[in-house]
Amino acid sequence: AKGYQKLLTFEYQKKGFEWYGNRPGVESLTALAILQFTDMSKVFSIDQTVLERTLKWLLNRRDGNGSFKRNSSYYSYFGGAPTEVVDSYI
């Protein structure tokens, strides 16, 4: 329960997850949050609306060309990994 509550503090105003929860979400970090919440939901009761809105936000970040929009001013979860690697993770 404590870990779940801590994870929620990294959500940025219902717009994805960010390292400190105070900027627009980072797509790769948001994908990790979805993975964690999905796994956690198997053994712990989570707020499904958090999972649904996070997934919706991430899917809305698709660019229509098989990739995701990313704000280059924010460092990626993968550092300098090629776009294809980050996209496949997301």
Side-chain angles (χ1 to χ4, degrees), residues 1 4-5 7-8 33-52:
Y4 172 67
Q5 290 303 315
L7 286 173
L8 292 176
I34 291 168
L35 178 65
Q36 290 179 335
F37 290 139
T38 301
D39 284 349
M40 192 180 294
S41 71
K42 296 173 186 173
V43 295
F44 184 79
S45 179
I46 67 162
D47 183 348
Q48 288 297 313
T49 59
V50 172
L51 184 57
E52 290 167 11

Side-chain angles (χ1 to χ4, degrees), residues 76-89:
S76 167
Y77 179 71
F78 290 93
T83 299
E84 298 82 10
V85 172
V86 180
D87 286 338
S88 65
Y89 175 81

Side-chain angles (χ1 to χ4, degrees), residues 11-67:
E11 185 178 24
Y12 173 73
Q13 299 177 6
K14 301 179 183 179
K15 297 178 183 173
F17 282 75
E18 197 270 338
W19 296 103
Y20 305 102
N22 59 6
R23 296 184 179 181
V26 173
E27 292 76 9
S28 53
L29 193 58
T30 299
L32 178 60
I34 291 168
L35 178 65
Q36 290 179 335
F37 290 139
T38 301
D39 284 349
M40 192 180 294
S41 71
K42 296 173 186 173
V43 295
F44 184 79
S45 179
I46 67 162
D47 183 348
Q48 288 297 313
T49 59
V50 172
L51 184 57
E52 290 167 11
R53 83 168 158 253
T54 302
L55 183 56
K56 182 179 178 181
W57 180 86
L58 187 60
L59 293 175
N60 284 331
R61 300 294 298 155
R62 293 180 290 188
D63 69 0
N65 295 314
S67 191

